[in-house]
Amino acid sequence: MADTSPFTVEERLVAVVWYHERRNTNKTTKRVQEDFEERFGKPAPSKSNLHLWEKKAFQSGSVLDSKRSGRPKIRDLGIQNIQTSVLRYPKKSLRKRSAELGVSYSSLRRTMKEDLHMKPYKPTVICELSDADHENRLTACDRLQHFDTIPKRSKDTMIGQQVQVLGYQELMQEVQKRSKQTLFVYFSGSKGADGTSWCPDCVEAEPVVQAELQNLPAGSTFIYCQVGDRPYWKDGNNEFRKELKVTSIPTLLKYGTSQQLVEKQCCQPELVRMLLTEEV
């Protein structure tokens, strides 16, 4: 690499001699720098440069910058070689080309983009449509309409049943009637004349729970239980709190087990699905 110092060889030699002899002349480094500026009419080198030049002069006999090692620039390797490689093997990946040419991946990519104006691309395979495809697709759709390929569900493979009850007594009647079945009970605040529950969390959770009922196990029953109005529910002595230990709504539970979701948990589809489908 060429010498890039702003100081000439003469300036560096004079500075080195003065700096080295300062011990004999009792001059400080600052005084040496002032003498340098007075003689050459330019800013003096820093103390670190003076020390470096002195060390270099006595070790190598020269004050010139030594050659620096390092990877050659991409242009030294030849842009033409890269262009030839691309034209000969256009489908070769950048990583393979980089290894073959001995050029770093980033340098190769930058050269191809900035110097050769090339852009990387990934081939995309698409279906080609012809003029006859429109009629062929209509014919195929017409044939499909006459196929009865969807098997009907038997009684054993149907999803579970759904029941709605109002209040504790109706709930207990359904539980006793279906004692041999797997029961899932969803507790919600009762609905008014407009069909909306007085409980905001229940309103938010209901569509989530309803959407997951498609995963209801065969032979099981889902009971939608309205617990009553707000004053009744807030009463700490109501049957739901005392007998069933249901203290929050909405609550979705697997009856007879400890599995249950409460409040905001009922708004998470994955949790509802897990409760309905996992066996314990």
Side-chain angles (χ1 to χ4, degrees), residues 28-170:
T28 62
T29 302
K30 185 176 181 180
R31 180 59 183 171
V32 171
Q33 291 172 324
E34 291 175 351
D35 291 345
F36 181 93
E37 293 176 355
E38 183 178 350
R39 174 167 177 172
F40 295 105
K42 62 190 299 185
S46 64
K47 181 179 179 180
S48 59
N49 273 343
L50 290 172
H51 181 73
L52 179 63
W53 291 345
E54 179 190 29
K55 182 178 179 181
K56 186 182 298 183
F58 282 91
Q59 286 182 348
S60 64
S62 173
V63 291
L64 294 175
D65 290 340
S66 57
K67 290 186 177 181
R68 294 180 174 85
S69 60
R71 186 173 57 194
K73 291 184 177 180
I74 182 64
R75 298 186 183 280
D76 296 335
L77 297 174
I79 296 177
Q80 185 63 38
N81 292 338
I82 297 177
Q83 186 176 24
T84 302
S85 173
V86 173
L87 294 176
R88 183 175 297 178
Y89 306 106
K91 295 184 179 181
K92 183 171 293 185
S93 69
L94 287 179
R95 296 194 182 279
K96 288 185 178 180
R97 199 184 310 279
S98 169
E100 290 181 359
L101 296 177
V103 182
S104 70
Y105 177 87
S106 58
S107 296
L108 176 62
R109 184 182 178 90
R110 182 172 59 253
T111 300
M112 292 179 64
K113 182 178 180 181
E114 297 178 0
D115 297 305
L116 300 179
H117 306 291
M118 297 179 177
K119 296 182 179 179
Y121 73 96
K122 183 177 182 180
T124 303
V125 179
I126 61 174
C127 296
E128 181 181 3
L129 297 178
S130 64
D131 295 336
D133 285 332
H134 180 70
E135 292 297 330
N136 292 337
R137 291 164 69 184
L138 288 177
T139 302
C141 291
D142 182 64
R143 290 177 179 175
L144 287 174
Q145 290 180 348
H146 296 85
F147 290 161
D148 187 15
T149 58
I150 303 177
K152 296 182 179 180
R153 291 178 179 267
S154 65
K155 186 175 181 180
D156 295 334
T157 60
M158 292 182 64
I159 63 173
Q161 299 179 350
Q162 301 179 36
V163 178
Q164 291 198 28
V165 297
L166 177 60
Y168 178 79
Q169 297 301 327
E170 289 188 13

Side-chain angles (χ1 to χ4, degrees), residues 159-165 184-189 191 195 197 201-217 221-226 250-252 261 265-273 275-276:
I159 63 173
Q161 299 179 350
Q162 301 179 36
V163 178
Q164 291 198 28
V165 297
F184 297 94
V185 185
Y186 177 70
F187 298 90
S188 173
K191 298 180 179 180
S197 171
D201 288 343
C202 298
V203 174
E204 182 181 359
E206 182 172 342
V208 177
V209 175
Q210 291 289 349
E212 293 300 325
L213 291 184
Q214 60 181 335
N215 299 306
L216 200 62
T221 298
F222 174 82
I223 302 177
Y224 185 106
C225 178
Q226 300 184 57
T251 291
L252 174 63
L261 302 176
Q265 292 177 332
C266 297
C267 298
Q268 301 182 44
E270 62 277 6
L271 295 182
V272 176
R273 190 179 312 122
L275 179 65
L276 295 177

